Amino acid sequence: MAEMAVDSEFGCGFLGGIFQRWSYWPRKTSVRSLPSTEHSKRQRSSSVESACKASNLANKSPPKLNEQSAKNSTLVQPKVSSTISHKRVHGRRPSDAARSSTSSSTSSVQTKVHQSPDLGHERKLKREPTSNSSELTKMITDPQLLNESKALVRSTPSNAMLLGHLGNLKQTGPGKLFGNNSPNSTVRTVDYLSRNLREKSFMPNNPKNGFGKLGGNVVMGNIVRKNSDEFGQLRGLVNRLDPEAFKSKGNEAYKQGRFDEALALYDRAIGLDSNKATYRCNKSAALIGLGRIMEAVFECKEAILIEPSYHRAHHRLANLYLRVGEAEKALHHYKHSGTYANSDDIAKAQALQNHLNICTEARRLKEWNTLLKETKYAISSGADSAPQVYALHVEALLNLYRHEEAHATYQKGPNISIDSCTRLIGPAASAYIMMIEARVYLAAGRFEDAVAASQHAAKLDPSNKEVNIVVKRARAVKSARLSGNLLFKASKFSEALVTYNEGLENDPYNAVLLCNRAACRSKLGQYEKAVEDCTTALNVRPSYSKARLRRADCNAKMERWEASVQDYEMLIRETPGDEEVGRALFEAQVQLKKQRGEDIKDLKFGSNLIFITSNERFRHFITSPGMSVVLFCNKSNHKQVLQVLEHVCKSFPSINFLKVEIEDHPYLANSEHVRSIPSFKIYKNGSRVKEIPGNDREMLESSVKLYSS
């Protein structure tokens, strides 16, 4: 053994020859082995002897390493080993080569090496690939072949093997890490790489028994491996396949409020390992941040299915159930949340349950004011995303004939698909929500949507009598509006009136049908009844401008000028640029002044911009009932400001706009405490309420609209 000793820099020759020969011995494989012969045994015996001779040659004349080659390559191999290995491979029979190739192909993926950083001598031997040393040397020193191989695979004790021409090992393509196309093989290899990289990260820097820190100098048999960045690339690849890495990045994104990015990262972690409850629970947190409450509920439930004792998931699911109005389920999961749940959580869930019980009883007794109050309490108690609670609140408003508020509440409610509601609360509760939605559409005049929603509700709960009544009502109202409109266009006002009456029998407070019937009555000269219909429509929908315009017109035809002016003024505030409304308002104002005996000779439509010529005229306008806007300016530099004033005049024709030139009336500027020139002052009912800089058009418009309301 003393004669066969080899310098540690080059590894062993004698044992390397034997161990390399052992890799040819047959093992269990899926390919049937060829029959063994005495000649093959002699062949193996002679191979061992030749290996001994080869190691003697290596000890007597060790080759010198080329310094330039060591810099260009991370793997260096002695030249003598290449020659001996080449002779040894070519000296075998074809049958031996076949057996060796088959054995190498099978074991190169399935055989694992168990290593310990402190007990390197206890490691198990691993089969070597059938490639000879000359091929490896050529691949190492030839940059072109090295580029073709692309990647490294963990195969030898130093974790490195060039992936190139590896006998009958199948490759999936250039630069791939996996030796064959089997999915199971891929999974095993990735797991193997990930585990070994984690183990190596804790190894000491000093090599022991040929094992060193990953990326450091390692002696591997008769091949010397030096520092390289290829293992850094390999670690990066494994990190891309490590679900924990995606989870950590997702946590960082979540903490910074980037919920979309966090959600995508958690999804990738789940794709790599779908049996980790933490990934599902973290995904639910990202969904909550995005406002996707129902999806978050389902992810928490998945996490609990994977790990039933996961306290954090139970607590998060309890909070979500509280938000969607499922108080009993929230209480159940709070009890399974361990130390995460406290007494305040339990008390909040119990309070919500009490409010919901009162809501159920109030709806049964049709006590709509009580239902309205209790649903507000339930929402403020934490059920801010509960579709059932919002549906109860909207139903109370509808039955109190507050249709406009009901529509606004419906729009502010949780935006949750009916399919998600069905999965969470069942088809019967979802049918109730769809029924309320249909009623909201009816009140808003969206009759086609009302029919579709009610029919959907009937499919979810066919035996529900309330739902079937709403279906019938929606169809009747839709048909009445359609038929009545056709008759009205044909100037058949009496027939249209009858048709609208039929629709109102099914929905007596439908604002659209009431307004349409008022139009028929106006055409038939029934102005008083038309005003009544418009007033009823405005009671349930105060912002219904069509009904207000029709009522103003009917009052004008009955010479009720004051009521007509009030409606026109409200309309002009809502639509300041509507010239038709502005002209109607002007005519009503003229008639009202005439009725009161006031002077109307200076009144002319569009002439609400008045030039002040005296102090008396100024006092007359600003002390009159209503609102006036005064511009204080110079004669020379007021052109741009005057354009602003003229634009606002057209938007608010019912308001008096006065222009005061301070050169002619300095006493007015002093008495009104004008601070800057140009500037606007707003007067209402004789009192000065606001001063605005002359160049701020937006502020002027918003202030005029505010104080004229």
Side-chain angles (χ1 to χ4, degrees):
M1 292 299 294
E3 294 179 358
M4 302 301 293
V6 183
D7 186 69
S8 61
E9 182 181 359
F10 301 104
C12 66
F14 175 74
L15 295 177
I18 294 176
F19 290 160
Q20 189 172 11
R21 260 316 184 190
W22 282 358
S23 67
Y24 301 143
W25 293 359
R27 297 182 68 176
K28 291 183 180 180
T29 178
S30 59
V31 182
R32 187 173 59 188
S33 302
L34 296 175
S36 176
T37 61
E38 290 296 326
H39 181 74
S40 63
K41 294 180 181 179
R42 290 193 300 271
Q43 184 71 23
R44 285 196 297 271
S45 177
S46 62
S47 298
V48 174
E49 294 174 1
S50 61
C52 295
K53 294 178 181 179
S55 64
N56 289 335
L57 291 173
N59 291 330
K60 292 179 180 179
S61 56
K64 295 183 179 180
L65 295 177
N66 190 330
E67 294 180 359
Q68 187 64 27
S69 300
K71 293 179 181 179
N72 295 336
S73 176
T74 61
L75 299 175
V76 182
Q77 183 181 13
K79 297 179 181 179
V80 174
S81 175
S82 172
T83 306
I84 297 171
S85 179
H86 181 73
K87 291 180 180 180
R88 187 162 57 241
V89 170
H90 285 279
R92 294 185 299 164
R93 293 192 312 164
S95 62
D96 291 333
R99 284 193 298 273
S100 176
S101 176
T102 302
S103 177
S104 175
S105 175
T106 304
S107 63
S108 61
V109 175
Q110 296 179 352
T111 306
K112 297 182 180 179
V113 178
H114 302 278
Q115 301 179 9
S116 171
D118 297 322
L119 299 174
H121 62 281
E122 292 182 4
R123 67 184 182 273
K124 295 182 180 181
L125 294 176
K126 180 179 178 182
R127 292 185 150 213
E128 298 289 344
T130 57
S131 299
N132 57 34
S133 301
S134 61
E135 291 174 349
L136 280 174
T137 304
K138 187 175 182 181
M139 290 172 67
I140 293 166
T141 56
D142 191 340
Q144 183 175 357
L145 291 177
L146 187 60
N147 289 334
E148 290 177 358
S149 65
K150 299 281 185 184
L152 291 172
V153 174
R154 181 175 180 4
S155 177
T156 65
S158 60
N159 304 329
M161 182 178 74
L162 287 169
L163 181 61
H165 306 285
L166 301 177
N168 62 350
L169 285 177
K170 296 180 181 179
Q171 301 179 42
T172 57
K176 303 293 183 183
L177 279 174
F178 309 118
N180 58 43
N181 296 323
S182 170
N184 294 332
S185 174
T186 300
V187 173
R188 286 195 300 270
T189 307
V190 172
D191 292 342
Y192 187 62
L193 288 168
S194 179
R195 184 172 62 256
N196 277 276
L197 282 174
R198 286 195 293 267
E199 292 173 359
K200 286 296 180 181
S201 64
F202 295 103
M203 281 190 175
N205 291 330
N206 297 328
K208 190 173 183 180
N209 295 331
F211 295 91
K213 186 178 179 181
L214 187 62
N217 292 329
V218 179
V219 179
M220 32 185 279
N222 59 348
I223 298 178
V224 179
R225 207 199 67 127
K226 296 191 176 180
N227 288 330
S228 171
D229 63 345
E230 295 183 25
F231 278 96
Q233 298 173 5
L234 183 60
R235 182 186 288 107
L237 176 59
V238 173
N239 285 339
R240 290 196 297 271
L241 299 173
D242 185 5
E244 285 295 320
F246 287 119
K247 187 194 80 169
S248 299
K249 292 180 180 178
N251 292 348
E252 293 176 5
Y254 179 84
K255 290 176 183 177
Q256 297 173 6
R258 305 194 312 271
F259 301 121
D260 281 318
E261 183 180 342
L263 179 62
L265 289 165
Y266 292 141
D267 276 331
R268 295 189 69 178
I270 292 169
L272 291 170
D273 187 355
S274 60
N275 294 321
K276 267 292 183 63
T278 53
Y279 303 160
R280 296 282 185 181
C281 192
N282 288 8
K283 181 181 177 181
S284 72
L287 289 168
I288 293 170
L290 294 170
R292 293 156 64 175
I293 303 299
M294 289 298 184
E295 296 176 65
V297 169
F298 301 139
E299 289 299 328
C300 277
K301 291 171 72 175
E302 287 293 326
I304 292 171
L305 285 175
I306 296 170
E307 189 176 335
S309 61
Y310 191 8
H311 291 167
R312 182 186 290 273
H314 278 288
H315 188 260
R316 183 164 291 160
L317 183 57
N319 289 335
L320 289 169
Y321 275 136
L322 191 73
R323 292 187 63 181
V324 298
E326 294 292 312
E328 291 184 1
K329 294 180 180 178
L331 282 169
H332 169 76
H333 286 282
Y334 277 137
K335 293 175 181 177
H336 290 79
S337 299
T339 57
Y340 285 95
N342 53 39
S343 58
D344 291 339
D345 293 330
I346 304 295
K348 188 181 292 186
Q350 290 174 343
L352 176 61
Q353 184 62 54
N354 291 334
H355 290 308
L356 294 177
N357 291 337
I358 297 173
C359 287
T360 303
E361 185 65 14
R363 184 177 186 273
R364 187 182 68 82
L365 299 174
K366 297 184 179 180
E367 296 176 353
W368 306 119
N369 285 309
T370 302
L371 179 61
L372 186 65
K373 180 181 67 175
E374 290 299 324
T375 50
K376 287 181 179 178
Y377 288 152
I379 292 170
S380 62
S381 296
D384 58 352
S385 300
Q388 278 183 289
V389 176
Y390 272 90
L392 288 167
H393 189 78
V394 170
E395 184 183 19
L397 291 169
L398 288 171
N399 289 316
L400 292 170
Y401 307 113
R402 294 158 64 175
H403 294 179
E404 197 165 293
E405 292 180 62
H407 187 265
T409 303
Y410 166 76
Q411 288 184 319
K412 289 190 297 185
N415 185 18
I416 300 174
S417 68
I418 197 63
D419 292 335
S420 298
C421 286
T422 304
R423 290 174 60 190
L424 180 68
I425 59 180
S430 298
Y432 167 74
I433 294 170
M434 291 299 295
M435 179 190 72
I436 299 302
E437 182 178 289
R439 291 186 59 186
V440 171
Y441 288 149
L442 276 176
R446 297 168 56 179
F447 299 147
E448 291 79 7
D449 292 334
V451 171
S454 61
Q455 289 176 343
H456 194 171
K459 289 180 181 178
L460 291 170
D461 192 2
S463 61
N464 191 316
K465 294 181 180 180
E466 286 184 289
V467 171
N468 292 327
I469 290 172
V470 173
V471 171
K472 180 181 176 181
R473 182 189 303 173
R475 288 173 177 171
V477 171
K478 175 186 174 184
S479 176
R481 201 262 301 264
L482 181 61
S483 301
N485 289 354
L486 292 174
L487 291 169
F488 187 88
K489 290 178 181 178
S491 299
K492 297 179 180 180
F493 305 120
S494 298
E495 292 86 343
L497 180 64
V498 173
T499 304
Y500 291 136
N501 281 334
E502 292 175 356
L504 286 166
E505 289 176 1
N506 291 277
D507 193 1
Y509 291 92
N510 189 279
V512 174
L513 292 183
L514 286 167
C515 189
N516 288 4
R517 189 172 71 176
C520 293
R521 286 175 167 174
S522 177
K523 291 291 184 180
L524 295 170
Q526 302 173 8
Y527 301 122
E528 191 67 49
K529 290 185 177 180
V531 169
E532 291 176 2
D533 283 343
C534 290
T535 301
T536 304
L538 288 168
N539 286 337
V540 296
R541 288 181 60 185
S543 64
Y544 192 15
S545 58
K546 186 179 286 188
R548 190 172 299 280
L549 179 63
R550 190 152 288 154
R551 187 174 72 174
D553 180 65
C554 290
N555 280 322
K557 289 177 180 177
M558 291 188 293
E559 297 185 358
R560 295 175 180 173
W561 301 115
E562 188 173 357
S564 180
V565 166
Q566 290 177 354
D567 281 335
Y568 281 132
E569 284 180 341
M570 290 191 69
L571 290 167
I572 203 68
R573 284 194 290 267
E574 294 172 2
T575 56
D578 193 325
E579 186 175 348
E580 182 181 353
V581 174
R583 185 176 293 277
L585 173 60
F586 175 76
E587 295 294 336
Q589 287 174 330
V590 170
Q591 294 300 324
L592 180 61
K593 288 180 180 294
K594 186 188 291 187
Q595 191 179 59
R596 291 174 177 174
E598 297 180 10
D599 185 15
I600 61 171
K601 62 180 181 180
D602 292 334
L603 292 176
K604 187 170 68 176
F605 177 67
S607 61
N608 57 334
L609 178 58
I610 301 166
F611 290 86
I612 296 300
T613 56
S614 65
N615 183 37
E616 292 75 14
R617 188 174 176 81
F618 176 77
R619 296 297 170 192
H620 167 73
F621 283 108
I622 66 171
T623 57
S624 298
M627 179 175 164
S628 299
V629 179
V630 183
L631 169 63
F632 294 91
C633 63
N634 294 316
K635 287 185 176 181
S636 58
N637 57 357
H638 66 271
K639 183 176 180 181
Q640 184 177 359
V641 180
L642 191 59
Q643 289 176 351
V644 171
L645 183 62
E646 290 174 349
H647 175 82
V648 179
C649 281
K650 294 178 182 178
S651 301
F652 300 90
S654 64
I655 298 174
N656 291 322
F657 290 85
L658 313 178
K659 177 188 174 188
V660 177
E661 295 179 345
I662 60 172
E663 289 90 346
D664 295 337
H665 308 284
Y667 55 91
L668 288 178
N670 293 330
S671 65
E672 298 304 316
H673 306 288
V674 178
R675 300 175 183 175
S676 61
I677 302 297
S679 66
F680 293 98
K681 285 186 179 293
I682 298 176
Y683 297 81
K684 189 168 185 179
N685 298 326
S687 301
R688 184 170 60 246
V689 294
K690 192 174 182 65
E691 181 174 352
I692 302 167
N695 57 355
D696 198 336
R697 172 180 162 181
E698 292 182 0
M699 187 176 180
L700 177 63
E701 288 184 342
S702 61
S703 299
V704 170
K705 189 172 183 179
L706 173 65
Y707 289 106
S708 63
S709 59

